[in-house]
Amino acid sequence: MHKHTHYLEGYALASPLRHWDPSFKAAFSMTVLILCLWFDSIPVSIWIILSMAVIAAIWGRVKPAEYLQLLGIPLFFLVFGGIALWFVTGETETVLHVTLRSLGAVSAFYFLVLSTPVSGIVAVLNRCHIPGLITGLMYLLYRYIFILLRVWQDMHMAARSRLGYVDYKTSLHTFGAVGGNLLAASMKRADQCYTAMESRCFAGEIRFLEEHKKCSLWQWAFGVVYLAGVAAVRRLWG
């Protein structure tokens, strides 16, 4: 499966970090996220953003250009939110604090989602005694989002192969046609997916084959050293 087939899920399945204990990765990611928001420090936020990018590139084997592309999605909304906040407050430093804190929190969360398949995340939620109805709905929503995206990609590629985007006027017509057919096509694909689930005895509960992974001493050492580094950055540079 190509990495771009299911985006974040594809990166998680291809990451060497998928062999780490998902409970440890979830706890580590959430701890870093909380510290980033709690410290409210520009140096800490920058440290988390840069260090998470390095970890994703070296250990997660995510190409830097692809990681920047993934990070650019939330950054796009954060920039517009920052502009709106600046018009309200008029304080550039406040806007910078909020934007970097948010981007640092996203970077910490990306450590989890780029290294843990959704089945591992669901397993962690089940260990936290989250109701199965919630985790099941979460997985189905996650799955259907990518079904919708895949349908759009197929329709877009088919339109391009027929010169549907050859000029501006044709592009507008093609965009409207694709948008009009997208809902019907995605509903049909989702119905096929549900039929396949029912044929495999789906009875309202989604179960995954869990692979129990032990948290090694090396993983604990990494977590402690990294969190100590975050605390040191906060103490030295505020």
Side-chain angles (χ1 to χ4, degrees):
M1 180 182 63
H2 195 274
K3 284 184 179 181
H4 293 286
T5 302
H6 298 298
Y7 286 93
L8 298 179
E9 182 73 359
Y11 287 108
L13 291 172
S15 174
L17 295 177
R18 74 184 186 276
H19 301 295
W20 286 27
D21 179 21
S23 297
F24 168 80
K25 288 185 289 186
F28 172 76
S29 178
M30 292 301 103
T31 302
V32 174
L33 188 152
I34 292 171
L35 289 178
C36 181
L37 298 178
W38 182 32
F39 284 152
D40 188 16
S41 167
I42 290 180
V44 169
S45 299
I46 294 175
W47 163 255
I48 291 175
I49 294 170
L50 295 178
S51 59
M52 288 300 173
V54 171
I55 291 172
I58 296 178
W59 288 351
R61 295 181 184 174
V62 180
K63 295 180 180 179
E66 295 178 347
Y67 185 83
L68 290 176
Q69 184 179 4
L70 291 171
L71 203 61
I73 299 172
L75 182 61
F76 174 81
F77 294 98
L78 290 174
V79 167
F80 279 94
I83 294 174
L85 181 62
W86 184 83
F87 277 110
V88 173
T89 63
E91 298 179 0
T92 304
E93 186 177 353
T94 300
V95 173
L96 189 61
H97 267 274
V98 172
T99 302
L100 289 176
R101 283 174 68 195
S102 302
L103 198 59
V106 170
S107 300
F109 185 68
Y110 269 7
F111 172 82
L112 177 64
V113 299
L114 291 177
S115 63
T116 310
V118 66
S119 57
I121 296 176
V122 170
V124 173
L125 294 176
N126 289 335
R127 292 171 194 167
C128 295
H129 303 289
I130 302 297
L133 176 62
I134 295 178
T135 56
L137 286 174
M138 182 195 74
Y139 175 76
L140 290 176
L141 286 172
Y142 179 85
R143 176 63 178 149
Y144 286 152
I145 286 173
F146 290 109
I147 289 177
L148 181 66
L149 182 60
R150 181 59 184 273
V151 171
W152 177 83
Q153 288 177 334
D154 292 342
M155 295 176 69
H156 181 77
M157 185 178 298
R160 288 189 62 183
S161 66
R162 293 171 174 82
L163 302 180
Y165 298 93
V166 66
D167 54 42
Y168 182 72
K169 182 178 179 180
T170 307
S171 298
L172 289 179
H173 177 75
T174 302
F175 179 79
V178 170
N181 295 326
L182 181 60
L183 178 61
S186 59
M187 289 293 291
K188 180 179 179 181
R189 188 72 62 87
D191 183 65
Q192 294 173 346
C193 180
Y194 185 75
T195 301
M197 291 172 61
E198 284 192 317
S199 67
R200 292 167 174 81
C201 302
F202 173 70
E205 182 180 359
I206 300 178
R207 297 182 178 182
F208 296 94
L209 180 63
E210 295 186 26
E211 181 182 357
H212 296 283
K213 301 172 183 177
K214 295 182 179 180
C215 185
S216 65
L217 182 61
W218 152 248
Q219 295 174 26
W220 282 110
F222 161 75
V224 170
V225 170
Y226 185 91
L227 295 177
V230 172
V233 171
R234 176 67 173 85
R235 184 176 181 85
L236 293 175
W237 290 287

